[in-house]
Amino acid sequence: MALFVFWVLISASFEWIHLGLGLVFSFAVAWINSGHSLFVPKFRLWLRILLYLPWLFYKIIESSLYLSKLILHPALPIDPQLVSVDSKLRHHAAVVLLGNSITLTPGTITVEVDSNKLIVHAMDKVLSEDIESKQIESKIADIFKDEEPDL
Amino acid sequence: MDILSIIFIVAGLFFMIVAAIGVVRLPDVFSRSHAVSLTDSLGAFLMLVGIAFHEGLGKNTLKILVVLALLYILNPVIAHATIRAAFRSGVKPWQKKSS
Amino acid sequence: MTTFFFYVMVLLAILIGAYLYRVLQGPTIFDRVLGLNGISTKAIILFIVIGTYSERVNMFIDISTGYALINLVGALAVAKYLEQKGLP
Amino acid sequence: MIFPFEIPLLLLLLVTAAGAILVKDLMSAVLLLGTYSFFLSLVWGWFGAVDVAFVEAVVGAGLGTVLFLLTLFGTAPKDTRLHRPPPSLLTLIVFPLLGFLLLYAASDLPEFRDPSSPASVHISPTYLEQSYQDTHTPNVVTAVLMDYRSLDTMVETVVIFAAGIACILLLRRQVK
């Protein structure tokens, strides 16, 4: 289904023949690959993730400005360090979302994931404390609060 | 509308220039990847939004947003894969010299 | 507006030069992979800017979508190879 | 359009090609070839040949890199570092001469984007005006490739197909 939406978006033509071909092929591809799909999100979850995105974007801007200041500083006052984080999340999808958010935020990057333990490389003391204060994690735990745990 | 798009594109360019300086200046793989992710997340976002403003509403803007979403989904995956490969094959992160 | 986009293009090409320095110079192989990743992101944006400059965005945007996907495949292949083989 | 944008792109191409030749490591050479394909695809895009750019990006940057890596992965060389002998004297004489001859020949060609050159006086306008009536294909390049030159394209495809079958026959594993 999602593939069909993607087809419509990239072809951007709304004639019947294109729509029909797209429908056939997207269902074929989805049917071939159906063994992989572990996680089928529900509608309310999508809504919550959409509401989470603006906050994540605010975080991205904040830490981008901080990182730009670090890079442009003539003395290069960086202090990179590895931080190990134990998260309390109980879902594969939630851990994936957490890792993606951490990597997407400039200044921090996920190095290693082992079920729900993450090793994070942070650029500075301030940024690593930001990770350890677990703001992002509590937000994500809030998103997934009434799903079945599978980890 | 044009002024808005110019503002967005110039801001995006600023972040890209900072990221390029960082890629040249920083000492090791791990910290360089931060600079690359800076471009990917904010620079690309601002520039593509600027171009979308220039285009106005329509199919093209929709496609630009699709490219943006693709970048946002795929780039963390690439950065994570590269960094994990670096970590597992034993590259030591650069440490600040302890005084 | 057109001249503005032209200057943006030239500036992006110069920035690609900075990444190319990292690809050529990089002490480890991972620096090169990172530089390649940055170059491809730049190339995606440069394609869209070229499309806007020549006012045919609808043609160029398909390539940039393809670019993003291909970049993923290439980078994942490199990362998997290096993870199994270790440092050369 | 006073400053030609292809000049910085060509500079990047030259630097990348020289780097791919001079670099000491096989992996890095593969990566630099991928970068080279990216730049080449940008050049095609700037000239307006969008489908060529697409093919270059897919085949050169994506498929080429992955195939090279698979080869490295399958052959598992102990040492991926390259040892180059210094170039011989004959090479140093012949190749600059060849390059000079090519440049000399190219100076005879009509100016790029010249409206009065023979190619743009009667060949291109004919195609541009009549291809849609002849073939009902909206893209002129596709019309030329698939309709006017369809036999050529078909035989090319046959050659590539034969090469693919030969590769599969050579590389397949014996099942016991």
Side-chain angles (χ1 to χ4, degrees), chain A residues 49-68:
Chain A
I49 290 175
L50 275 184
L51 287 181
Y52 161 74
L53 285 180
W55 182 81
L56 178 67
F57 192 67
Y58 162 72
K59 284 301 280 188
I60 287 176
I61 291 180
E62 190 187 356
S63 59
S64 295
L65 287 174
Y66 184 73
L67 188 67
S68 317

Side-chain angles (χ1 to χ4, degrees), chain B residues 21-59:
Chain B
I21 293 172
V23 166
V24 175
R25 265 188 91 184
L26 290 172
D28 77 331
V29 190
F30 296 93
S31 39
R32 273 178 211 133
S33 73
H34 296 314
V36 175
S37 88
L38 181 71
T39 345
D40 289 346
S41 53
L42 206 52
F45 177 82
L46 289 173
M47 289 209 55
L48 290 182
V49 166
I51 293 171
F53 271 128
H54 177 73
E55 284 296 312
L57 277 178
K59 281 180 194 171

Side-chain angles (χ1 to χ4, degrees), chain A residues 30-48:
Chain A
W31 182 65
I32 289 169
N33 288 337
S34 58
H36 289 290
S37 118
L38 288 170
F39 178 67
V40 183
K42 297 177 190 63
F43 179 69
R44 272 172 61 200
L45 197 63
W46 278 114
L47 204 65
R48 282 189 188 149

Side-chain angles (χ1 to χ4, degrees), chain D residues 8-89:
Chain D
L9 284 181
L10 284 179
L11 268 180
L12 288 175
L13 264 180
L14 275 181
V15 172
T16 319
I21 292 174
L22 291 179
V23 82
K24 290 284 194 312
D25 184 23
L26 216 51
M27 272 302 293
S28 313
V30 170
L31 289 182
L32 277 167
L33 277 182
T35 322
Y36 181 83
S37 288
F38 274 126
F39 291 147
L40 203 58
S41 153
L42 273 177
V43 174
W44 298 133
W46 168 248
F47 283 154
V50 185
D51 35 5
V52 185
F54 200 86
V55 171
E56 180 67 42
V58 171
V59 174
L63 207 59
T65 313
V66 173
L67 282 181
F68 275 130
L69 278 176
L70 278 181
T71 313
L72 276 181
F73 203 69
T75 51
K78 288 265 180 1
D79 186 13
T80 57
R81 303 188 75 78
L82 297 174
H83 306 287
R84 297 176 197 286
S88 70
L89 191 65

Side-chain angles (χ1 to χ4, degrees), chain A residues 2-4 6 20 27 44 48-49 63 65 104 112 121 123 135 138-140 147:
Chain A
L3 266 176
F4 179 57
F6 187 67
F27 271 111
R44 272 172 61 200
R48 282 189 188 149
I49 290 175
S63 59
L65 287 174
L104 202 52
E112 182 83 69
H121 184 267
M123 193 76 149
Q135 262 181 320
S138 62
K139 284 263 180 189
I140 291 179
E147 302 290 318

Side-chain angles (χ1 to χ4, degrees), chain D residues 4 7 10 51 55 83 94 102 134 142:
Chain D
I7 286 185
L10 284 179
D51 35 5
V55 171
H83 306 287
V94 166
L102 283 177
D134 284 354
T142 315

